[in-house]
Amino acid sequence: MAWFFEKSPEISRERMKELVRQSGRECLERICAKPRKVLLLPPDITRAHSGAGWITNILYHFFADEVGADVYVIPTLGQHVPHTPEQNRWMFGDIPEERILVHDWRNGCKTVGTIPAAYVKAVSGGAADWDIPVSLNRLVLEEPWDIIVNIGHVVPHEVLGFANHNKNYFIGLGGKDTICASHLASACYGIENNLGTLITPVRHCFNKAESEFLRHLPDVYIQVVMRYNERDELVHSGFYCGDDLDTYLLAAKQSRDENITIVPPLKKVVAVMQGDEFFSTWVANKAVYRTRKAMADGGELLIIAPGLKRFGEQEEVDRIIRKYGYAGTPRVMEAWRKNEELQDLAHATAHLIHGSSEGRFRITYAPGHLSKEEIESVHYNYMDIEEALARYPIDKLQNGFNRMPDGEEIYFISTPSAGLWTTRDKLNQ
């Protein structure tokens, strides 16, 4: 079971700080009393709203200043763009830049095993039938860590049902082959089958991989859950600390109760992807993933994304998105069968599938830095961001239904990445 946990309608910042410090003390009692080297594994900047940055800062100073350990941080980037020093300071505070290491998903990983095709086929109901190689960041595997602390936000997720737990290892610190094979498997199984499911096929595979290949690591998980309070503010409502699968399951069940909103089919959704966190459609498309099960046939999703300046996180993925676009599963899979670049970067192929409405509803972007021609070239609609902000003043809208002055009814979502919206008939149990 989890070492300890706390649930409340709202956990204050001061109480969260104490729970974080309690986690550190538990690590000293349960893992290593006098650690020499400690590794902290927080999410990247796209989950900064979870408080993971200041949680990491508290842990850094606990282990470095009070315990005297040599402490390092590796943001679990996956294949996202590494943080700039300015972004590290914004997210992690005064942790020295030289203590924040960069994950290299192409050249910095080591293969530790394989999830065999037969297992993948069995847990996916035949939707995927290939091996998933398991490769992870070499520093995690080869350095003599005495304590490893995973920090993360448990929230509905398009690949793993709910984010975090061992996703930190196999995606956040995973190698290219692991990221590609697992993302394509999830896409073939179906994004709407994954969202809000406690154990998806890929999660099954990752649980097996952790049990077989990472059992020796001296690690623990800190999992937070967030919800909107009565003032429409995103606050912490759950804190879970432990070293087993139950730690994830307890947090995921709370997230399922608090972060999934059941709505009628929505004809018009206006969603905001924060300009200081989301710079590419690769991550901003969480607005598509988390609302697609709520969208009415023929409806429109408008995504206001003031920070948007590219499509892919990596240059080669950006090029692939520009070349093939979010064209729907049949066209993308046909292209995948014919083109080696899509086969080589299968996670990009999966992303193209995840980001398509399959022609069922319209997706419109109001980007801060991409042109109308660029947006329309990838099969999305375009709206000028100034026009969008004038028509939909996001600082005045309330989460949920709003009636605009001209009579238009919209459903507003200020932080799509913090939840999942679905009609009752599409809710995964």
Side-chain angles (χ1 to χ4, degrees):
M1 292 294 294
W3 292 356
F4 70 93
F5 66 91
E6 185 165 316
K7 292 173 62 176
S8 172
E10 184 170 343
I11 304 175
S12 70
R13 178 84 167 243
E14 288 306 309
R15 179 58 181 157
M16 284 290 295
K17 290 179 179 178
E18 176 53 34
L19 291 169
V20 173
R21 291 178 57 80
Q22 183 180 343
S23 300
R25 293 192 294 269
E26 292 278 349
C27 287
L28 300 181
E29 291 181 13
R30 295 172 182 263
I31 300 178
C32 182
K34 296 182 179 180
R36 291 169 298 174
K37 292 194 70 172
V38 173
L39 178 62
L40 307 177
L41 302 177
D44 70 1
I45 197 170
T46 62
R47 298 190 188 277
H49 59 271
S50 69
W54 56 260
I55 290 172
T56 302
N57 184 277
I58 292 170
L59 289 168
Y60 177 86
H61 287 291
F62 174 84
F63 286 113
D65 300 344
E66 299 182 33
V67 179
D70 205 12
V71 186
Y72 288 89
V73 177
I74 308 180
T76 53
L77 296 169
Q79 57 86 56
H80 293 177
V81 173
H83 296 174
T84 65
E86 292 74 22
Q87 288 174 324
N88 278 334
R89 284 194 294 274
W90 179 78
M91 183 166 179
F92 300 117
D94 63 354
I95 297 177
E97 178 68 17
E98 64 270 17
R99 293 285 166 161
I100 304 176
L101 309 178
V102 178
H103 171 61
D104 182 352
W105 71 303
R106 284 189 173 277
N107 303 306
C109 296
K110 175 182 179 180
T111 299
V112 295
T114 299
I115 302 301
Y119 187 87
V120 178
K121 183 176 182 179
V123 297
S124 68
D129 60 355
W130 49 83
D131 289 346
I132 296 182
V134 180
S135 60
L136 271 75
N137 187 292
R138 285 183 178 275
L139 293 174
V140 176
L141 298 169
E142 296 178 352
E143 290 293 316
W145 305 110
D146 296 306
I147 297 174
I148 299 174
V149 185
N150 281 277
I151 305 115
H153 180 196
V154 177
V155 65
H157 190 263
E158 53 277 3
V159 173
L160 291 162
F162 289 85
N164 213 248
H165 199 250
N166 53 33
K167 174 182 179 288
N168 260 22
Y169 286 130
F170 302 113
I171 299 296
L173 296 178
K176 174 178 174 288
D177 50 358
T178 303
I179 292 174
C180 288
S182 59
H183 274 71
L184 189 60
S186 76
C188 289
Y189 184 71
I191 183 173
E192 295 190 9
N193 295 324
N194 293 319
L195 285 159
T197 301
L198 290 176
I199 304 290
T200 65
V202 173
R203 176 73 74 180
H204 267 295
C205 294
F206 288 174
N207 290 345
K208 178 179 174 65
E210 183 178 21
S211 175
E212 293 186 3
F213 308 129
L214 303 186
R215 186 179 292 274
H216 63 288
L217 293 180
D219 59 3
V220 63
Y221 292 97
I222 290 176
Q223 312 277 260
V224 302
V225 179
M226 306 187 79
R227 63 181 289 273
Y228 285 101
N229 65 13
E230 65 277 1
R231 299 181 300 278
D232 215 22
E233 300 166 337
L234 195 60
V235 297
H236 289 100
S237 58
F239 186 99
Y240 296 82
C241 179
D243 61 358
D244 61 2
L245 184 60
D246 281 337
T247 305
Y248 159 75
L249 288 171
L250 288 169
K253 287 176 181 177
Q254 183 182 348
S255 177
R256 183 179 60 185
D257 293 341
E258 296 182 351
N259 300 148
I260 297 179
T261 304
I262 299 174
V263 294
L266 302 175
K267 295 181 180 179
K268 179 66 172 281
V269 173
V270 176
V272 179
M273 300 308 287
Q274 287 69 26
D276 52 5
E277 294 183 45
F278 301 97
F279 308 105
S280 68
T281 55
W282 183 278
V283 290
N285 270 1
K286 289 183 185 296
V288 180
Y289 311 155
R290 307 297 174 77
T291 65
R292 62 184 305 131
K293 295 172 69 161
M295 295 301 304
D297 292 352
E300 182 182 20
L301 167 63
L302 170 63
I303 306 168
I304 299 175
L308 198 71
K309 56 186 177 182
R310 57 183 182 266
F311 295 110
E313 287 286 287
Q314 305 293 333
E315 182 177 343
E316 62 269 40
V317 174
D318 187 87
R319 181 180 56 77
I320 282 176
I321 296 172
R322 290 174 184 271
K323 181 175 179 179
Y324 297 97
Y326 301 96
T329 299
R331 289 175 62 182
V332 170
M333 290 306 293
E334 181 182 2
W336 174 76
R337 285 188 284 269
K338 296 177 180 179
N339 292 274
E340 289 186 4
E341 61 183 350
L342 288 178
Q343 295 164 14
D344 179 55
L345 294 172
H347 69 307
T349 306
H351 171 74
L352 295 177
I353 293 172
H354 287 164
S356 169
S357 74
E358 307 296 348
R360 194 173 62 77
F361 57 92
R362 299 188 306 282
I363 300 171
T364 301
Y365 258 103
H369 306 282
L370 291 174
S371 69
K372 181 176 187 290
E373 291 72 24
E374 288 175 302
I375 292 294
E376 292 181 344
S377 74
V378 299
H379 306 291
Y380 287 155
N381 297 320
Y382 173 87
M383 186 175 188
D384 178 78
I385 191 166
E386 297 302 328
E387 179 186 350
L389 291 171
R391 181 170 177 77
Y392 306 106
I394 59 178
D395 57 336
K396 297 179 181 179
L397 297 174
Q398 298 295 314
N399 278 304
F401 288 106
N402 293 258
R403 180 74 65 177
M404 306 311 295
D406 63 358
E408 181 187 30
E409 185 180 67
I410 68 165
Y411 192 93
F412 179 66
I413 303 174
S414 62
T415 313
S417 57
L420 172 66
W421 288 259
T422 179
T423 58
R424 187 169 298 278
D425 65 311
K426 292 186 177 181
L427 178 66
N428 292 335
Q429 299 297 326

